[in-house]
Amino acid sequence: MSIVSCVSTVAVPAAAPRFAGLRRVAGPAALNCDVEQPSAVSLQVSGRASSKASRRCVATMAGTGRFVTGGNWKCNGNTASIQKLVQDLNAGEITADVEVICAPPMVYLPWVQSTLDRKYALSAQNCWVGEGGAYTGEVAAEMLVDNNIPWVILGHSERRALIGESDEFIGQKCAYAISKGLSVMACIGETLEERERGDTLNVCRRQLQAIVNAISPADWEKVVIAYEPVWAIGTGKVATPAEAQETHAGIRAYMAEAVSASVASAVRIQYGGSVNAGNCEELARCEDIDGFLVGGASLDGGAFVTICNSARFNN
């Protein structure tokens, strides 16, 4: 069965790119800078009109995985605010069929682990590309596993831009984390400039290709793809449901092409980028959105529970 009714025309490089390590970047300004990238592949998506959107990719095999919502607390909070957040989360009632994951700052992980209700799984926000050693400031996947932390977020745009992590480096990090038993929320997404050039799917494909090159088809059972358009992260701007659905359908089509139809159907694709309690229901109704990766709104316990429960609108 075809994943989407539109047919993609692509030219994927025959050889996997070699690891190039970290790029040299110019600090926070890099979030808005255009970084030189390899030649992009092309993907053309044909659409059809609908009552809710003027143009969208028509999916004929939507995702089949359980809805999954992650809360990325980033580098926010202090002892008092995190105690309050945990209290609010514990008091919240998760009524939908949804897997929920919280990612506190590393220093607060042990305390949150000891106090957060078991209806929430825990995630780290990063881990190193290999075994531990002389890597000041890093944390090894083995350390997370040793502390019963089951998830890790890798490839976030803030680490790509501010730390200079390349596609290939992120692919290798995903492979190593999975090999040690972690599950991965692997982030991808385009900048505003890339979107305006019409390169959204080209960028997503390039970033995913590095992970495809590094892991086996079976490893995708341990991966959730988090599509986060960089221009929507923390800006208050959000992709329309039609825009998000079109991109998610294109990502699923790529996964069928690059890995297999069964992996494409099973892999869960989160949307991230200014998701909040007010827009989550409409986004959750999109057939190829399998969950959310939430930033700022995850720091509000009540709002985050509302976002998690929007899973009931996902068919």
Side-chain angles (χ1 to χ4, degrees):
M1 176 182 281
S2 171
I3 293 297
V4 288
S5 61
C6 45
V7 178
S8 311
T9 340
V10 297
V12 178
R18 298 190 59 168
F19 166 59
L22 303 179
R23 299 189 302 269
R24 185 178 296 276
V25 293
L31 280 170
N32 299 315
C33 290
D34 200 21
V35 180
E36 183 180 349
Q37 302 291 359
S39 299
V41 295
S42 64
L43 173 67
Q44 297 182 351
V45 180
S46 62
R48 64 171 169 83
S50 74
S51 59
K52 291 186 178 179
S54 59
R55 183 177 182 273
R56 62 180 287 184
C57 191
V58 184
T60 56
M61 184 194 292
T64 57
R66 186 185 183 202
F67 208 81
V68 55
T69 294
N72 181 8
W73 301 3
K74 304 190 179 183
C75 188
N76 289 300
N78 53 38
T79 299
S81 67
I82 286 181
Q83 286 178 342
K84 174 65 164 57
L85 177 53
V86 168
Q87 289 171 1
D88 291 344
L89 289 172
N90 288 347
E93 187 176 359
I94 303 296
T95 57
D97 181 17
V98 57
E99 183 175 4
V100 186
I101 306 157
C102 294
M106 195 75 69
V107 69
Y108 296 114
L109 258 174
W111 186 85
V112 173
Q113 186 178 42
S114 68
T115 55
L116 188 64
D117 194 279
R118 290 298 182 264
K119 62 185 176 243
Y120 305 105
L122 284 179
S123 174
Q125 297 177 19
N126 176 53
C127 68
W128 183 236
V129 71
E131 294 182 6
Y135 307 109
T136 301
E138 284 292 345
V139 61
E142 294 91 339
M143 295 174 179
L144 298 178
V145 172
D146 188 44
N147 282 274
N148 298 311
I149 306 299
W151 285 88
V152 65
I153 298 171
L154 296 175
H156 196 281
S157 62
E158 289 154 5
R159 292 195 63 86
R160 290 177 186 267
L162 300 177
I163 310 301
E165 294 184 352
S166 68
D167 296 340
E168 292 73 26
F169 190 68
I170 291 162
Q172 291 192 7
K173 289 177 76 171
C174 289
Y176 192 80
I178 292 166
S179 77
K180 297 306 172 185
L182 292 174
S183 294
V184 175
M185 285 179 279
C187 301
I188 61 171
E190 82 285 4
T191 65
L192 181 58
E193 284 182 286
E194 289 165 337
R195 184 168 192 85
E196 289 176 341
R197 289 201 306 263
D199 279 339
T200 293
L201 286 173
N202 290 330
V203 170
C204 291
R205 292 173 69 93
R206 190 199 73 230
Q207 292 171 343
L208 281 170
Q209 185 65 50
I211 302 175
V212 170
N213 290 343
I215 70 175
S216 72
D219 287 338
W220 285 97
E221 292 182 0
K222 303 283 285 183
V223 179
V224 169
I225 299 169
Y227 167 62
E228 295 196 300
V230 178
W231 49 271
I233 298 174
T235 64
K237 299 177 181 178
V238 61
T240 66
E243 289 171 335
Q245 164 60 26
E246 181 177 56
T247 303
H248 279 233
I251 291 168
R252 205 176 298 282
Y254 164 78
M255 292 300 296
E257 197 176 84
V259 188
S260 72
S262 60
V263 167
S265 176
V267 71
R268 295 179 289 177
I269 309 173
Q270 296 172 316
Y271 173 77
S274 296
V275 177
N276 57 51
N279 61 28
C280 58
E281 176 181 338
E282 192 174 10
L283 287 163
R285 292 182 185 276
C286 295
E287 58 192 346
D288 282 293
I289 292 181
D290 306 314
F292 301 117
L293 184 55
V294 186
S298 71
L299 301 174
D300 180 322
F304 186 64
V305 169
T306 296
I307 294 167
C308 293
N309 284 330
S310 70
R312 69 182 183 273
F313 299 107
N314 187 259
N315 296 319

